[in-house]
PDB file of all heavy atoms in Angstrom:
ATOM      1  N   TYR A  32      -8.741  55.185 -13.823  1.00 97.00           N
ATOM      2  CA  TYR A  32      -8.668  56.385 -14.656  1.00 97.00           C
ATOM      3  C   TYR A  32      -8.891  56.051 -16.129  1.00 97.00           C
ATOM      4  O   TYR A  32      -8.722  54.910 -16.552  1.00 97.00           O
ATOM      5  CB  TYR A  32      -7.328  57.099 -14.408  1.00 97.00           C
ATOM      6  CG  TYR A  32      -7.224  57.508 -12.952  1.00 97.00           C
ATOM      7  CD1 TYR A  32      -6.600  56.688 -12.012  1.00 97.00           C
ATOM      8  CD2 TYR A  32      -7.844  58.670 -12.497  1.00 97.00           C
ATOM      9  CE1 TYR A  32      -6.565  57.027 -10.662  1.00 97.00           C
ATOM     10  CE2 TYR A  32      -7.811  59.024 -11.144  1.00 97.00           C
ATOM     11  CZ  TYR A  32      -7.179  58.207 -10.240  1.00 97.00           C
ATOM     12  OH  TYR A  32      -7.166  58.540  -8.912  1.00 97.00           O
ATOM     13  N   LEU A  88      -5.097  54.876  -6.503  1.00 98.00           N
ATOM     14  CA  LEU A  88      -4.405  56.019  -5.910  1.00 98.00           C
ATOM     15  C   LEU A  88      -4.043  55.650  -4.470  1.00 98.00           C
ATOM     16  O   LEU A  88      -4.927  55.351  -3.667  1.00 98.00           O
ATOM     17  CB  LEU A  88      -5.362  57.220  -5.940  1.00 98.00           C
ATOM     18  CG  LEU A  88      -4.867  58.524  -5.370  1.00 98.00           C
ATOM     19  CD1 LEU A  88      -3.869  59.186  -6.329  1.00 98.00           C
ATOM     20  CD2 LEU A  88      -6.047  59.471  -5.114  1.00 98.00           C
ATOM     21  N   TRP A 142       1.655  61.163 -10.133  1.00 98.00           N
ATOM     22  CA  TRP A 142       0.915  62.101 -10.983  1.00 98.00           C
ATOM     23  C   TRP A 142       1.778  63.356 -11.100  1.00 98.00           C
ATOM     24  O   TRP A 142       2.615  63.606 -10.240  1.00 98.00           O
ATOM     25  CB  TRP A 142      -0.407  62.488 -10.325  1.00 98.00           C
ATOM     26  CG  TRP A 142      -1.439  61.413 -10.344  1.00 98.00           C
ATOM     27  CD1 TRP A 142      -1.641  60.461  -9.385  1.00 98.00           C
ATOM     28  CD2 TRP A 142      -2.420  61.178 -11.346  1.00 98.00           C
ATOM     29  NE1 TRP A 142      -2.677  59.642  -9.743  1.00 98.00           N
ATOM     30  CE2 TRP A 142      -3.180  60.064 -10.947  1.00 98.00           C
ATOM     31  CE3 TRP A 142      -2.748  61.806 -12.553  1.00 98.00           C
ATOM     32  CZ2 TRP A 142      -4.237  59.566 -11.708  1.00 98.00           C
ATOM     33  CZ3 TRP A 142      -3.799  61.303 -13.313  1.00 98.00           C
ATOM     34  CH2 TRP A 142      -4.533  60.202 -12.892  1.00 98.00           C
ATOM     35  N   GLN A 145       0.362  68.925  -8.347  1.00 98.00           N
ATOM     36  CA  GLN A 145      -1.038  69.298  -8.142  1.00 98.00           C
ATOM     37  C   GLN A 145      -1.225  70.819  -8.089  1.00 98.00           C
ATOM     38  O   GLN A 145      -0.506  71.528  -7.368  1.00 98.00           O
ATOM     39  CB  GLN A 145      -1.543  68.693  -6.827  1.00 98.00           C
ATOM     40  CG  GLN A 145      -1.377  67.186  -6.765  1.00 98.00           C
ATOM     41  CD  GLN A 145      -2.280  66.444  -7.743  1.00 98.00           C
ATOM     42  OE1 GLN A 145      -3.482  66.403  -7.567  1.00 98.00           O
ATOM     43  NE2 GLN A 145      -1.696  65.862  -8.783  1.00 98.00           N
ATOM     44  N   ARG A 165     -14.212  69.715  -5.498  1.00 98.00           N
ATOM     45  CA  ARG A 165     -14.132  68.260  -5.689  1.00 98.00           C
ATOM     46  C   ARG A 165     -12.858  67.726  -5.015  1.00 98.00           C
ATOM     47  O   ARG A 165     -11.766  68.181  -5.307  1.00 98.00           O
ATOM     48  CB  ARG A 165     -14.101  67.968  -7.193  1.00 98.00           C
ATOM     49  CG  ARG A 165     -13.887  66.516  -7.540  1.00 98.00           C
ATOM     50  CD  ARG A 165     -12.445  66.228  -7.901  1.00 98.00           C
ATOM     51  NE  ARG A 165     -12.189  64.816  -7.988  1.00 98.00           N
ATOM     52  CZ  ARG A 165     -11.046  64.301  -8.438  1.00 98.00           C
ATOM     53  NH1 ARG A 165     -10.072  65.076  -8.846  1.00 98.00           N
ATOM     54  NH2 ARG A 165     -10.866  63.009  -8.443  1.00 98.00           N
ATOM     55  N   TYR A 167     -10.435  64.203  -3.714  1.00 98.00           N
ATOM     56  CA  TYR A 167     -10.175  62.805  -4.087  1.00 98.00           C
ATOM     57  C   TYR A 167      -9.545  61.982  -2.974  1.00 98.00           C
ATOM     58  O   TYR A 167      -9.260  60.806  -3.160  1.00 98.00           O
ATOM     59  CB  TYR A 167      -9.357  62.709  -5.379  1.00 98.00           C
ATOM     60  CG  TYR A 167      -7.965  63.322  -5.352  1.00 98.00           C
ATOM     61  CD1 TYR A 167      -6.934  62.727  -4.639  1.00 98.00           C
ATOM     62  CD2 TYR A 167      -7.676  64.487  -6.060  1.00 98.00           C
ATOM     63  CE1 TYR A 167      -5.655  63.275  -4.625  1.00 98.00           C
ATOM     64  CE2 TYR A 167      -6.397  65.039  -6.052  1.00 98.00           C
ATOM     65  CZ  TYR A 167      -5.393  64.424  -5.328  1.00 98.00           C
ATOM     66  OH  TYR A 167      -4.129  64.966  -5.312  1.00 98.00           O
ATOM     67  N   ALA A 187     -12.298  60.687 -10.433  1.00 95.00           N
ATOM     68  CA  ALA A 187     -11.868  61.399 -11.643  1.00 95.00           C
ATOM     69  C   ALA A 187     -12.760  61.048 -12.842  1.00 95.00           C
ATOM     70  O   ALA A 187     -13.076  61.907 -13.668  1.00 95.00           O
ATOM     71  CB  ALA A 187     -10.418  61.081 -11.953  1.00 95.00           C
ATOM     72  N   SER A 204      -5.741  69.134  -8.560  1.00 98.00           N
ATOM     73  CA  SER A 204      -5.387  67.946  -9.344  1.00 98.00           C
ATOM     74  C   SER A 204      -4.237  68.328 -10.269  1.00 98.00           C
ATOM     75  O   SER A 204      -3.735  69.452 -10.227  1.00 98.00           O
ATOM     76  CB  SER A 204      -6.605  67.455 -10.137  1.00 98.00           C
ATOM     77  OG  SER A 204      -6.360  66.164 -10.669  1.00 98.00           O
ATOM     78  N   SER A 205      -3.833  67.382 -11.104  1.00 98.00           N
ATOM     79  CA  SER A 205      -2.765  67.667 -12.063  1.00 98.00           C
ATOM     80  C   SER A 205      -3.350  68.249 -13.339  1.00 98.00           C
ATOM     81  O   SER A 205      -4.552  68.107 -13.611  1.00 98.00           O
ATOM     82  CB  SER A 205      -2.045  66.361 -12.400  1.00 98.00           C
ATOM     83  OG  SER A 205      -2.978  65.422 -12.875  1.00 98.00           O
ATOM     84  N   THR A 208      -5.099  65.356 -15.307  1.00 97.00           N
ATOM     85  CA  THR A 208      -6.506  64.971 -15.093  1.00 97.00           C
ATOM     86  C   THR A 208      -7.452  66.011 -15.696  1.00 97.00           C
ATOM     87  O   THR A 208      -8.462  65.652 -16.303  1.00 97.00           O
ATOM     88  CB  THR A 208      -6.776  64.730 -13.597  1.00 97.00           C
ATOM     89  OG1 THR A 208      -6.102  63.521 -13.233  1.00 97.00           O
ATOM     90  CG2 THR A 208      -8.252  64.593 -13.283  1.00 97.00           C
ATOM     91  N   PRO A 229       0.896  63.075  -5.842  1.00 98.00           N
ATOM     92  CA  PRO A 229       0.414  61.791  -5.306  1.00 98.00           C
ATOM     93  C   PRO A 229       0.738  60.647  -6.264  1.00 98.00           C
ATOM     94  O   PRO A 229       1.076  60.885  -7.422  1.00 98.00           O
ATOM     95  CB  PRO A 229      -1.097  62.002  -5.212  1.00 98.00           C
ATOM     96  CG  PRO A 229      -1.403  62.980  -6.292  1.00 98.00           C
ATOM     97  CD  PRO A 229      -0.198  63.875  -6.413  1.00 98.00           C
TER      98      PRO A 229
HETATM   99  N1  LIG B 401      -5.379  63.076 -10.705  1.00 61.38           N
HETATM  100  C1  LIG B 401      -6.137  62.211  -9.857  1.00 61.38           C
HETATM  101  C2  LIG B 401      -5.383  62.126  -8.572  1.00 61.38           C
HETATM  102  C3  LIG B 401      -4.286  63.109  -8.694  1.00 61.38           C
HETATM  103  C4  LIG B 401      -4.349  63.613 -10.070  1.00 61.38           C
HETATM  104  O1  LIG B 401      -3.543  64.371 -10.583  1.00 61.38           O
HETATM  105  C5  LIG B 401      -7.506  62.751  -9.602  1.00 61.38           C
HETATM  106  O2  LIG B 401      -7.742  63.941  -9.767  1.00 61.38           O
HETATM  107  O3  LIG B 401      -8.357  61.971  -9.179  1.00 61.38           O
END
Side-chain angles (χ1 to χ4, degrees):
Y32 299 94
L88 180 75
W142 287 91
Q145 304 292 290
R165 174 261 169 172
Y167 62 72
S204 192
S205 56
T208 289

